[in-house]
Amino acid sequence: MLVLAVHGSAAPAAAATSRRLTAAIEALSGVHALVGHLDVQRPSLAEVVREHPRSVVVPLLLGDGYHRRVDIPAVLEGTGCVLTEGLSGERDIAVALLGRLREAERRRGPYTRADAVVVAGAGSSRPGGNAGTRTCAAQLAALLEHEGPEPVPVLPAYLTSAGPTVPEALASLRAAGYRRIAVAAHLLAPGRFTHALNGSAAWTVSEPLADHPRLARLVIGRYESARGTRALRAARLAC
């Protein structure tokens, strides 16, 4: 069984996003995917893995903060589940973010692009918890440099627990003379953070990432790798 460990949100659109992701995973791989929530929504991750022990659990998280390093391992202890790495730092995330950015730009006009970008992550106070957003910002900058002749500055920023904040990053870029500043949401699903970004007075704001096709393929890769590792370990024990 494939179990996605997600944060959870009271926003109805978050559950709809998760359903689109699990449907894409199942269509691409034939693997049945379940969702276990860490907060707010049911079923909880604990409930799902109690019913489906020895599952492969993929943390649907863009950073390696408290949830990835503390919460989820504690829930899985004694269940026989295999915990994969999260999604932090994967180039596919930056590629998906670029796709969402282009969609947001097209909403403003078919031939207009941002002259600066803020990559907005949730933010973490845990050491290493913000590395995913910083890495994604660097990867996005490299992708934009490859696409066009004009350099586009890309700044990472955070919605909580770390700095610079999104308003600070926007103000810094405006002070430098940039006017078409896009916020690229380094977030997975709609919720209070996406609501805050939509009120940020940025030139445009991209949609969250969880139901982008790249995410489904990335999760499937995590699952297949974990299954292969488990099978190899079992074979070695049988020898």
Side-chain angles (χ1 to χ4, degrees):
M1 183 66 69
L2 166 59
V3 176
L4 297 173
V6 307
H7 186 277
S9 169
T17 301
S18 295
R19 286 194 295 272
R20 288 192 294 273
L21 173 60
T22 55
I25 290 168
E26 292 173 11
L28 287 168
S29 67
V31 175
H32 185 49
L34 298 175
V35 174
H37 302 90
L38 297 166
D39 196 12
V40 181
Q41 290 171 269
R42 301 284 298 275
S44 70
L45 178 61
E47 290 168 335
V48 173
V49 298
R50 187 163 57 245
E51 189 171 340
H52 300 281
R54 298 185 60 77
S55 295
V56 173
V57 178
V58 179
L60 203 69
L61 301 170
L62 296 177
D64 283 333
Y66 184 83
H67 285 313
R68 168 64 186 87
R69 297 299 176 189
V70 179
D71 263 358
I72 298 175
V75 171
L76 300 188
E77 188 173 355
T79 65
C81 291
V82 174
L83 177 61
T84 76
E85 290 298 316
L87 310 181
S88 176
E90 287 288 344
R91 187 176 181 275
D92 276 342
I93 299 295
V95 174
L97 194 67
L98 177 59
R100 291 289 194 239
L101 173 63
R102 293 302 184 224
E103 292 168 1
E105 291 169 332
R106 286 193 290 272
R107 290 197 294 270
R108 293 303 306 260
Y111 306 111
T112 307
R113 289 191 172 178
D115 59 6
V117 179
V118 174
V119 175
S124 171
S125 59
R126 188 174 178 83
N130 298 314
T133 300
R134 289 195 302 271
T135 299
C136 188
Q139 291 168 335
L140 180 63
L143 290 169
L144 291 172
E145 183 179 1
H146 180 73
E147 279 199 347
E150 295 297 324
V152 178
V154 180
L155 300 183
Y158 306 95
L159 287 146
T160 186
S161 302
T165 65
V166 173
E168 288 169 346
L170 288 169
S172 172
L173 289 167
R174 289 190 185 109
Y178 298 98
R179 292 296 175 262
R180 296 188 310 278
I181 307 170
V183 170
H186 189 241
L187 302 167
L188 288 165
R192 64 186 179 93
F193 285 155
T194 55
H195 180 74
L197 292 182
N198 288 330
S200 67
W203 177 70
T204 193
V205 178
S206 70
E207 295 296 317
L209 297 167
D211 53 357
H212 190 283
R214 290 263 177 176
L215 270 291
R217 290 193 288 270
L218 183 54
V219 169
I220 292 166
R222 289 280 195 268
Y223 172 79
E224 290 177 344
S225 178
R227 284 290 304 272
T229 300
R230 173 180 269 173
L232 179 60
R233 185 181 302 119
R236 285 173 175 168
L237 290 172
C239 291

